[in-house]
Every structure is written in C-alpha cells, then in structure tokens.
Amino acid sequence: MRPRLASLLTAAVLALLPGTARADATYPDPQPLTGEQIIHDPTVIRLESGGYVAYSTGGIIGARTSEDRTHWDDAGNAFTTPPSWWYAYNDTGDPWAPDLSYRAGRYWLYYAVSSWGTNHSAIGVATSPTGLPGTWTDHGKVFGSERTDSWNAIDPAVIRADGRLWMSFGSYWTGIRMVELDPRTGKAVEGATVHHLATRPDAPYAVEGPYIVEHGGRYYLFASYDTCCAGADSTYRIRVGRSTSVTGPYVDSTGEPLLEGGGDLLLAGHGRYVGTGGESIFKDRGRDVLAYHYYDAEDGGTPKLGLNTLTWTKNGWPDLLRGRGRP
C-alpha cells in the first residue's frame, strides 16, 4: 500500500474512534502565537511606527502589543481610569468590544458601554497620536440606544466609503445597524438615519459584532452569529454577505439577504478552537488579516486571540488561508 493512501486510511479510522481528536478539514487553525494570548473581541492594527497593538474587552479596554504579530505582551489598558460618563451605563465602568482605526493623522478608538441583557447602551470614541495604551483622550458619546429602541448601540466598527464615514454596530435587538459619522468629530451626524443591515428571522436575533471591509468595489459585512461568552459551550461563528453599497442591502453567495437570515459561513468552531467570533479585519503588508477570539477547549474555555490571513476567491468572496503559518 502506498504511504499516502495508508496515511489517509489511518486518519479515517482514527476519526471514527470515540474520543479521538482530529484536525478539521474545513476550517484552518489560527496562526500559532506565543506570550499573552488571552483576549476577547480583539481589534488589531499595524502601527505607523511599526509593530502591532490589539485592544479588547476586559480591563479598561485591555491592550496587547507585538513586534512580529506572533509574540504578544500584556500592555495594560487603553485608559488609566474610566471616564465618568461611562457609569451612566453600568456600575463598573466596564467597556466592551473596541474598534481601532487610523485617519487624519490620529488613531481612533471606538468602544461600547452597557450592561448584560439591556440595550441601554452607548458608543464612545477616543483619539491618540500613537495608538498606544495610556495616550488616549476620550471625547465622549458617539451614539446611543435606549430600552424603547429596536437596536443595541454596542460593537462599533468604522469604515470610510465614498468620501463619507460610517459606523456599523449592533447586538441582538433585531441585529446589525449603521449610522453616518461626522469625520471631524467622529460622532454620529445629527438626525442620522439608522440603516438596517442584517438580522435573524426569529427572536432573540442572535447576530452581533459587525465589521465591514471594501474589496473589489464591493462592501463585505462580517458578523458573529449565535452564542458568545459561554466558554467551551459557546457557539459563535462568523458569517459574511456583500453589497455594492455600504448601507446595503447585503446578500450571501446564494442571493439570500442578510436581513432575512442569510450569510455565508466563513469560520466556525473546530477541535480545540470553540466559539470563533468577535471579529475584526486589519491590513498587514498589503494582506487582509482576520482577528477574532476563540475559547480554548483544552484550556478550560479561556478566550484567546485567533489570527488568520484572509484571501479572496475569483468570485470575490472571502476565504481563509489554509495552513498554520503566516504567509
């Protein structure tokens, strides 16, 4: 028997044995990392000065830094103390799900303040000349939601499109929304229309954490579906749709609208990498990189940083680079 055939047959037999772990053939594992890997809802950027910084839910927006995108160090928090206005939305001054970008010579950090299970929520913004922790100046509330609204103002993500600035956001409460921002202040324009981008057919409309990128003249909406924050029991997965307009409508590769529950599955849990979601995308040397968290089933469900290079098919749909190493 040829060695390759023997190897395939052995793998097939092992896959049928109870309790036997096997690599998933559909989804690639994240890039191997070292150092401080614990993170939740990561946003990552390659700094103008070189190196990388990642911010996340936890602490007063937890920070990680890296020189090579492989080894990560704990860098404390974005802020030394919570801005006082945060306490109107929770008792702990605890921010969630930041979004980091660079424009007009400054770094912009968007984040959410809320409490579990309520849409009494707000999105805030801060700026920094370097993007590093401890250098942020907070500028207050960008946009909010109340219990009478049908949306939840958390999980912000900002994109420039057609000379205008937009922010997608949303979690449950009928799904993903978008408003236009004033590029000078970084805050929602007065009386901004709240566009509806994606939802699920039935309550509780479990879709959140949007992120939009432009590629090949189209806009791609990535979002996290199903259950977050349950450790190894989490069912988070990343789906995607696209549109010729940043405000939608978004559809998947079969033409099903994301407003009707559509969305191509890009990444789901596999092996030890459970509940993949909380995603964002950043540019690194001309390549798109998907950042997300997963819950490590071999480490008590601890949330950790996942990074995969994002590729694009001939039909213009996103895919993930196979193989564990960096390109």
Side-chain angles (χ1 to χ4, degrees), residues 16-299:
L16 295 174
L17 295 177
T20 301
R22 64 180 178 88
D24 190 280
T26 303
Y27 305 108
D29 295 345
Q31 166 197 334
L33 303 179
T34 59
E36 181 54 79
Q37 301 175 47
I38 298 175
I39 207 165
H40 206 279
D41 303 322
T43 179
V44 183
I45 200 169
R46 181 176 174 83
L47 296 166
E48 296 291 303
S49 59
Y52 306 82
V53 64
Y55 290 104
S56 66
T57 298
I60 316 175
I61 306 181
R64 309 281 184 264
T65 55
S66 175
E67 294 299 320
D68 58 6
R69 214 184 80 192
T70 297
H71 181 84
W72 292 84
D73 294 311
D74 186 351
N77 298 287
F79 297 95
T80 55
T81 57
S84 60
W85 72 270
W86 292 3
Y87 291 99
Y89 294 91
N90 61 49
D91 294 333
T92 59
D94 180 25
W96 299 347
D99 173 67
L100 180 61
S101 58
Y102 181 80
R103 65 178 178 85
R106 292 191 288 176
Y107 293 89
W108 298 72
L109 186 65
Y110 288 79
Y111 56 84
V113 282
S114 186
S115 298
W116 193 264
T118 178
N119 67 332
H120 173 60
S121 310
I123 293 166
V125 66
T127 58
S128 163
T130 67
L132 293 171
T135 67
W136 293 96
T137 299
D138 190 67
H139 300 291
K141 181 177 172 180
V142 170
F143 188 74
S145 59
E146 297 299 337
R147 293 176 179 87
T148 54
D149 291 319
S150 59
W151 60 80
N152 191 12
I154 69 169
D155 295 359
V158 173
I159 181 174
R160 286 174 288 184
D162 300 324
R164 298 160 74 178
L165 193 65
W166 302 88
M167 181 180 71
S168 57
F169 63 92
S171 170
Y172 292 68
W173 275 274
T174 71
I176 307 305
R177 303 284 178 151
M178 171 175 275
V179 293
E180 186 176 0
L181 303 181
D182 180 333
R184 181 182 59 85
T185 64
K187 299 182 178 184
V189 300
E190 187 173 353
T193 299
V194 181
H195 300 274
H196 201 184
L197 306 187
T199 190
R200 304 286 288 275
D202 302 305
Y205 314 107
V207 53
E208 58 189 3
Y211 200 89
I212 298 175
V213 297
E214 187 275 335
H215 177 80
R218 293 187 177 96
Y219 298 95
Y220 292 79
L221 169 60
F222 299 76
S224 297
Y225 286 59
D226 300 320
T227 302
C228 168
C229 313
D233 294 324
S234 300
T235 58
Y236 242 16
R237 60 197 66 204
I238 301 170
R239 293 188 178 272
V240 62
R242 73 184 182 189
S243 174
T244 56
S245 169
V246 72
T247 57
Y250 287 86
V251 300
D252 64 21
S253 62
T254 70
E256 186 174 6
L258 268 63
L259 280 171
E260 297 177 12
D264 289 353
L265 185 58
L266 178 71
L267 182 63
H270 58 283
R272 70 186 294 177
Y273 309 104
V274 176
T276 51
E279 75 290 334
S280 61
I281 296 166
F282 66 100
K283 284 283 189 184
D284 188 8
R285 298 181 175 91
R287 305 292 296 272
D288 292 313
V289 181
L290 178 73
Y292 56 95
H293 68 250
Y294 66 89
Y295 301 93
D296 191 342
E298 296 181 8
D299 189 17

